[in-house]
Amino acid sequence: MYHCAIIGAGAVGGLIAAKLSQNHNKVCFVDRRLSESSQLELELEQWQGVKLQFKLPYLNQLAPCRWLIICVKAHQVAQAIEGLSIAADCQVLLMVNGIGAEQSLLSTLKPEQLFLASNTHGALLIDKQAHQLRVKHTGLGKIDLGGYLNQVLKPQYLAYLNQAFEPVYWHNNIYPVLWQKLAINCCINPLTAIHRCRNGELLKPQYQSEITHLCAEISHTAALESIALSEQQLQQSVLQVAKLTANNFSSMQQDLAQQRRSEIDYINGYLVECAKRHGLDTPCNLALLQRIKQMEQDYA
Ligand code: KPL
């Protein structure tokens, strides 16, 4: 029996599978692009040649899984679980950029089954062939998680996740953490995509006024959602992440460079819509949203 199924055989999914299996959890992958009932070979760069085989079970045979981790792009979440038979007592952990994708799971899952996480571990996809995946753990980070509903009991798998990824922090209310991460993504992702630069470029003086305005809009919107995050606190975390990941290209920068759909709808798009529901205008976030949308429309 698999303890854990991972949807999304990418950098983060690969890293989680590798670390959980190192800690003796039985893990399988679910990936619609690969054929069912086949194997996926995973190598973590740090393993120096050691490879592990993971099963891709038939999608309708997931019933024994009690723990499902979804780490796909935010806009792929709904499709990722389509047609899966997920047991009513299976706990589902969503680990995606932005906010809003969780709503698409609620037609299939009960709200108390759903948990949301923010991950700051660096993971890089070195190579992905049909049935082979090579990933690298590029930076130690942390995982924060909590229930979709506030004040729910800790999930059973928390201890296993903590063994593999210490530290894992449990929150009775995860939303302030998700909003802080949202602010980081609202600033770093579109700005690096538009200016085609690495995260560290945003530390330059010419970007500071725009980042200040973006953080002010995010802080005001968060307050309307009863989440207290000061503009200064948000700006500080944006700059800290830009510094810590200075050499990286953000996920949105990479998406646009490779002419893929970005996660903008769940990042600045979520922020703009949320503010609108409260009657608040967020012109700086709206401008970035429109610019990224335009860039996506201009793909050849
Ligand atoms: O989450 C990220 C992303 O690229 O999506 C950051 C934190 C900005 C790191 O690049």
Side-chain angles (χ1 to χ4, degrees), residues 67-85:
W67 177 21
L68 180 68
I69 303 181
I70 305 177
C71 32
V72 294
K73 292 280 183 188
H75 51 82
Q76 294 166 342
V77 169
Q79 205 204 353
I81 63 153
E82 223 174 71
L84 297 188
S85 50

Side-chain angles (χ1 to χ4, degrees), residues 146-249:
Y148 169 77
L149 298 176
N150 288 341
Q151 310 291 345
V152 287
L153 290 178
K154 290 179 187 174
Q156 288 149 5
Y157 58 77
L158 190 62
Y160 304 117
L161 199 61
N162 196 42
Q163 272 163 16
F165 281 101
E166 201 178 353
V168 175
Y169 297 107
W170 170 255
H171 299 263
N172 285 324
N173 175 3
I174 188 66
Y175 292 95
V177 176
L178 297 183
W179 272 79
Q180 180 137 349
K181 178 79 186 335
L182 183 74
I184 293 166
N185 290 132
C186 278
C187 297
I188 297 184
N189 293 29
L191 288 174
T192 51
I194 291 164
H195 299 285
R196 298 185 169 86
C197 63
R198 291 178 197 264
N199 296 354
E201 276 287 301
L202 302 183
L203 297 165
K204 290 192 173 159
Q206 74 240 42
Y207 295 108
Q208 300 321 304
S209 146
E210 190 166 6
I211 292 175
T212 306
H213 284 109
L214 288 164
C215 289
E217 291 179 1
I218 298 162
S219 165
H220 294 155
T221 311
L224 295 168
E225 292 276 294
S226 307
I227 293 169
L229 291 167
S230 74
E231 301 169 33
Q232 291 79 3
Q233 188 183 350
L234 292 181
Q235 189 162 0
Q236 237 171 39
S237 35
V238 171
L239 297 179
Q240 192 185 14
V241 171
K243 201 167 167 185
L244 286 172
T245 61
N247 272 327
N248 296 2
F249 287 108

